[in-house]
Amino acid sequence: MSPNGSDRSPRRPMRRKLLQALTAGLVLATATGCTYKDFPRLGMPTPTTEEAPRILSLWQGSWAAALAVGVLVWGLIIWSAIFHRRSRTKVEVPPQTRYNMPIEALYTVVPIIIVSVLFYFTARDESKLLSLDKKPDVTVNVVGFQWSWCFNYIENVDGSTGDAKTDDNLSAVPKRYKKDFPDNAGGVYTCGTPGERNPQTNNPGPTLWLPEGKTVRFVLTSRDVIHSFWVVPFLMKQDVIPGHTNAFQVTPNKQGTFLGKCAELCGVDHSRMLFNVKVVSPERYEQHLKDLAKKGQTGYVPAGIEQTSHEKERESNIL
């Protein structure tokens, strides 16, 4: 009997709360709409480029390391709570441990080893992913601005005259990228508005077309503030910085229309800076460029803010 005369056990409310917590956890785990095939990716979308599996592997490895550390810490906490809990019959203070050098050294060395291993794999994969040693098959100048995107296709297209290497609208692009531009690339472009939608999927934003199986280099420039170019299933994103040009390249290996967005808070309409990426066969890609030329969208739109003096100095050192 309890002190108030009830035979209700005081442990029942705790058991009920534990059951409710477990039920809530089960609902959260099963309400995400994921199948058993999605769990190995740990929240990442299905990769659609040749480079994306490397990013996915790094993501999975980081989770594995975090889980191993978590299991160790949780195990020590539970072990301490069970085997070193206060005795109901004894009230003496348990033995105190101070200045245990082996344990303190362990607490210092183990985290350093964990961080070093993670740093090694991160630096290795980052170096590989940002490498521009391979000459691209296709180059696209991505121009971010408040509140949409423009895409300059650096291509030699019938009906378009000019040279991307000397075009004033591409003066913000550094010389080290221009040296890989095709000769006499008059180019075509497309610019979007926040209210534009893809005609096939009805997803908002302009549509960037890319050829399947071709190495694509993105040269990222901005006209105003910092944006971030992120194609979700590419598992790769990079900042678009005014006065500082970034670049990376991927090889799409799956056809389809994928979502892209700005991943950097860039102002009041940041959430509307969406776009689409349509990966098609090389033949359809070439036809799309010709269609843009027929529409009169030839040449290039202004790429953005030119490099700062600091960046120009760095450029001269690289060259």
Side-chain angles (χ1 to χ4, degrees), residues 108-248:
T108 303
V109 172
V110 171
I112 291 176
I113 294 175
I114 294 173
V115 171
S116 299
V117 171
L118 290 174
F119 176 81
Y120 165 76
F121 285 107
T122 301
R124 182 199 65 179
D125 291 343
E126 181 182 1
S127 176
K128 183 68 176 178
L129 291 166
L130 296 181
S131 173
L132 301 178
D133 294 338
K134 182 180 179 181
K135 188 171 182 178
D137 301 309
V138 174
T139 301
V140 179
N141 170 218
V142 177
V143 183
F145 62 93
Q146 295 170 319
W147 311 98
S148 193
W149 304 87
C150 287
F151 306 113
N152 285 323
Y153 297 91
I154 314 297
E155 295 277 358
N156 193 335
V157 184
D158 292 341
S160 180
T161 59
D163 189 352
K165 295 181 179 181
T166 58
D167 194 298
D168 289 340
N169 284 332
L170 299 180
S171 59
V173 178
K175 294 179 181 178
R176 67 178 181 275
Y177 302 126
K178 287 184 177 180
K179 65 182 177 64
D180 290 330
F181 285 0
D183 293 331
N184 301 316
V188 291
Y189 70 88
T190 182
C191 271
T193 62
E196 184 177 348
R197 289 187 175 271
N198 181 276
Q200 284 79 37
T201 64
N202 202 38
N203 291 327
T207 300
L208 167 65
W209 288 54
L210 299 177
E212 180 188 18
K214 300 293 184 179
T215 300
V216 180
R217 177 178 296 178
F218 297 111
V219 179
L220 312 175
T221 55
S222 172
R223 292 182 185 172
D224 36 52
V225 299
I226 298 177
H227 304 282
S228 184
F229 180 74
W230 180 25
V231 183
V232 178
F234 286 8
L235 309 188
M236 180 76 176
K237 64 184 177 69
Q238 200 168 41
D239 282 349
V240 185
I241 304 174
H244 173 94
T245 304
N246 285 327
F248 70 95

Side-chain angles (χ1 to χ4, degrees), residues 272-283:
R272 301 181 67 195
M273 282 199 64
L274 306 174
F275 63 95
N276 304 276
V277 174
K278 186 170 185 176
V279 180
V280 297
S281 66
E283 294 76 19

Side-chain angles (χ1 to χ4, degrees), residues 49-56 129 215 234 249-253:
T49 68
E50 293 182 4
E51 295 77 13
R54 178 182 292 272
I55 302 173
L56 179 60
L129 291 166
T215 300
F234 286 8
Q249 53 194 47
V250 297
T251 305
N253 58 8

